[in-house]
């Protein structure tokens, strides 16, 4: 037994020495070889191999993102077959249109009107002040558009008396993009909060503050309780509304929504959503305070921006309040549980008898 073990060890050592000699000889041969003699790979063959890997294997999410790099995926991959954010195209266009319209309206009232009528240069307001009126107006409008299609669908179900009939195509598409509209509304609300916090950092604000202090030196007390209460209330309402919008945005994430059952998700998105819309509307109304009846606010026969921004949310909340009445809410709950309104029997009337025609021979 000992002799056989010794022989096996000797053979293993000889094999290791032979392999090391072979590797040394190969290295010497590679050092002496000409680089031009090394065969080059054809790039077309390389692309074909990558295409074969893409078609044969089923890559995971990390692998698919790796192939999307511009310097790695082959040129034969058709980018037209990979749409770029198809669910966000229409919401982004709608947001851009609303922002452009609200910005133009605010620019005409706050910048162009004083320049034309009073020859005052307020163009410095465009980057911050005009933009900070555009952002909340667009945000609250998008939030109203999130809950408006649900009310239209409820009214349609009450009208038809069943939930098994299909919605119109435009309403179905509107219902499918509520998540994107809500996230864009939350994003614009966050930008509005950041813009509002940046007011004291503006140079124009500091100059106005110095002028105001010089004017108020002759007054004993510059405290105006009406303005103080207005600021305290509408800032508090805005903070609470932003907090609820943050909860709605977090609950819409797939990692969070998958942990909630249907009842919990519906409660968060419906109850807290309408509460956030109510707080946002109250925030806009308190901001206006007594400007509703101030004639000076209606420049060029146009209403202030907070009035127009509150119209759609007030309409949505009004329709929701009507649907919460017992006569409508109970019927709607029965319909959503599968109840169908009885259809009246259709009486088929026989066709009128035709008079007999006498043929003359």
């Amino acid at each position: 037994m000992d002799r056989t073990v010794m022989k096996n060890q000797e053979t293993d050592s000889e094999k290791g020495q032979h392999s090391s000699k072979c590797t040394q000889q190969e290295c010497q041969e590679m050092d002496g070889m000409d680089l031009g003699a090394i065969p080059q790979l054809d790039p077309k063959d390389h692309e074909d191999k990558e295409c074969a890997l893409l078609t044969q294997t089923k890559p995971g999410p990390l692998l698919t993102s790796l192939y999307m790099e511009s310097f790695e995926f082959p040129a034969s991959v058709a980018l037209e077959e990979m749409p770029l954010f198809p669910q966000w195209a229409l919401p982004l266009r709608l947001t851009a249109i609303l922002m452009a319209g609200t910005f133009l309206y605010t620019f005409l009232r706050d910048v162009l009107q004083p320049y034309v009528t009073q020859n005052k240069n307020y163009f410095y307001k465009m980057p911050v002040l005009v933009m900070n009126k555009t952002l909340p107006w667009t945000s609250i409008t998008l939030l109203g558009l999130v809950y408006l299609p649900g009310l239209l669908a409820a009214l349609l179900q009450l009208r038809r008396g069943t939930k098994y009939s299909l919605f119109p195509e435009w309403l179905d598409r509107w219902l499918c993009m509520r998540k994107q509209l809500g996230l864009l509304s939350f994003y614009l609300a966050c930008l509005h909060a950041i813009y509002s916090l940046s007011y004291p950092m503006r140079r124009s604000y500091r100059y106005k503050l110095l002028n105001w202090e010089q004017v108020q030196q002759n007054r004993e007390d510059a405290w105006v309780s009406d303005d103080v209460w207005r600021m305290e209330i509408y800032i508090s309402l805005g903070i609470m509304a932003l907090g609820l919008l943050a909860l709605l945005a977090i609950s819409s994430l797939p990692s969070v929504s998958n942990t909630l059952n249907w009842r919990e998700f519906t409660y968060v998105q419906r109850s807290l959503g309408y509460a956030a819309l109510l707080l946002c509307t109250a925030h806009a109304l308190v901001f206006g305070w007594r400007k509703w009846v101030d004639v000076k606010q209606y420049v060029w026969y146009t209403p202030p921006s907070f009035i127009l921004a509150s119209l759609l949310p007030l309409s949505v909340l009004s329709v929701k309040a009507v649907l919460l009445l017992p006569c409508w809410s109970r019927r709607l709950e029965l319909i959503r549980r599968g109840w169908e309104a009885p259809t009246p029997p259709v009486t088929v009337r026989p066709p009128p008898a035709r008079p007999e025609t006498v043929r003359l021979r």
Side-chain angles (χ1 to χ4, degrees):
M1 291 292 292
D2 296 337
R3 292 180 180 177
T4 57
V5 171
M6 292 295 291
K7 288 181 180 179
N8 293 331
Q9 292 179 357
E10 289 178 358
T11 54
D12 293 339
S13 61
E14 289 177 357
K15 289 180 180 178
Q17 292 177 1
H18 179 69
S19 62
S20 62
K21 289 180 181 179
C22 292
T23 54
Q24 291 178 1
Q25 290 178 0
E26 290 176 357
C27 292
Q28 291 177 0
E29 291 177 357
M30 289 295 295
D31 292 336
M33 286 177 62
D34 187 8
L35 293 177
I38 299 176
Q40 301 293 331
L41 294 176
D42 190 2
K44 294 183 179 179
D45 297 338
H46 182 64
E47 291 182 1
D48 294 339
K49 291 180 180 179
E50 287 187 353
C51 292
L53 289 175
L54 285 174
T55 55
Q56 293 176 3
T57 60
K58 295 182 179 180
L62 296 178
L63 191 58
T64 54
S65 62
L66 183 64
Y67 280 117
M68 283 300 99
E69 298 294 337
S70 59
F71 53 85
E72 288 189 357
F73 75 93
S76 57
V77 175
L79 291 178
E80 292 79 6
E81 299 177 359
M82 303 175 185
L84 183 64
F85 304 113
Q87 297 179 351
W88 288 85
L90 185 57
L92 287 175
R93 292 175 185 173
L94 180 61
T95 304
I97 293 172
L98 288 175
M99 287 192 67
T102 54
F103 185 88
L104 181 61
Y105 185 85
T106 309
F107 171 78
L108 292 176
R109 282 179 47 86
D110 296 351
V111 178
L112 191 59
Q113 191 272 341
Y115 181 76
V116 173
T117 58
Q118 305 174 11
N119 200 17
K120 293 182 179 180
N121 188 0
Y122 287 157
F123 287 91
Y124 68 90
K125 294 184 177 181
M126 293 174 58
V128 179
L129 293 178
V130 176
M131 197 66 187
N132 199 28
K133 287 186 178 181
T134 302
L135 292 173
W137 188 353
T138 310
S139 176
I140 196 172
T141 303
L142 291 176
L143 189 60
L145 292 176
V146 170
Y147 294 97
L148 181 58
L151 298 178
L152 295 178
L155 293 175
L156 196 60
Q157 287 179 348
L158 288 173
R159 175 67 177 82
R160 296 175 176 176
T162 180
K163 71 171 185 178
Y164 297 107
S165 59
L166 297 177
F167 293 132
E169 185 178 356
W170 59 271
L171 184 57
D172 192 13
R173 189 176 182 183
W174 192 355
L175 289 169
C176 292
M177 68 177 186
R178 288 181 296 177
K179 177 181 178 180
Q180 289 77 17
L181 294 176
L183 291 177
L184 289 174
S185 175
F186 172 66
Y187 172 70
L188 296 180
C190 292
L191 290 182
H192 169 57
I194 296 173
Y195 269 83
S196 300
L197 292 175
S198 66
Y199 273 11
M201 294 186 291
R202 295 163 50 242
R203 182 66 63 180
S204 59
Y205 178 84
R206 298 177 185 178
Y207 286 148
K208 282 191 174 183
L209 185 61
L210 292 175
N211 295 334
W212 184 81
E213 290 178 354
Q214 293 176 2
V215 171
Q216 298 297 328
Q217 286 178 357
N218 298 328
R219 298 181 59 180
E220 296 180 358
D221 190 7
W223 182 275
V224 181
S225 60
D226 191 50
D227 290 340
V228 171
W229 275 103
R230 182 179 70 89
M231 291 287 293
E232 297 291 331
I233 293 174
Y234 98 85
I235 289 177
S236 177
L237 291 172
I239 293 173
M240 290 189 292
L242 185 62
L244 288 180
L245 288 177
L247 288 178
L248 293 173
I250 292 173
S251 63
S252 63
L253 297 175
S255 59
V256 179
S257 61
N258 292 335
T259 61
L260 303 175
N261 56 32
W262 179 85
R263 187 176 182 182
E264 293 171 346
F265 183 78
T266 305
Y267 174 80
V268 172
Q269 294 293 329
R270 185 178 298 173
S271 302
L272 296 184
Y274 279 106
L277 183 61
L278 179 62
L279 289 175
C280 291
T281 308
H283 172 70
L285 296 178
V286 174
F287 172 78
W289 202 248
R290 298 180 181 178
K291 297 178 183 179
W292 293 82
V293 294
D294 190 2
V295 182
K296 296 180 181 179
Q297 300 295 326
Y298 294 84
V299 296
W300 279 354
Y301 304 100
T302 56
S305 58
F306 70 91
I307 295 179
L308 297 179
S310 305
L311 291 179
L312 180 61
L314 285 175
S315 303
V316 173
L317 292 173
S318 300
V319 176
K320 181 62 178 178
V322 172
L323 290 179
L324 287 177
L325 296 176
C327 57
W328 300 113
S329 61
R330 292 176 182 175
R331 183 181 176 88
L332 188 60
E333 185 178 359
L334 290 175
I335 291 174
R336 288 175 176 174
R337 289 184 177 181
W339 176 80
E340 294 187 40
T343 57
V346 180
T347 58
V348 180
R349 295 180 180 179
R354 296 180 180 179
E356 296 181 357
T357 58
V358 180
R359 295 182 181 179
L360 298 177
R361 294 182 180 178

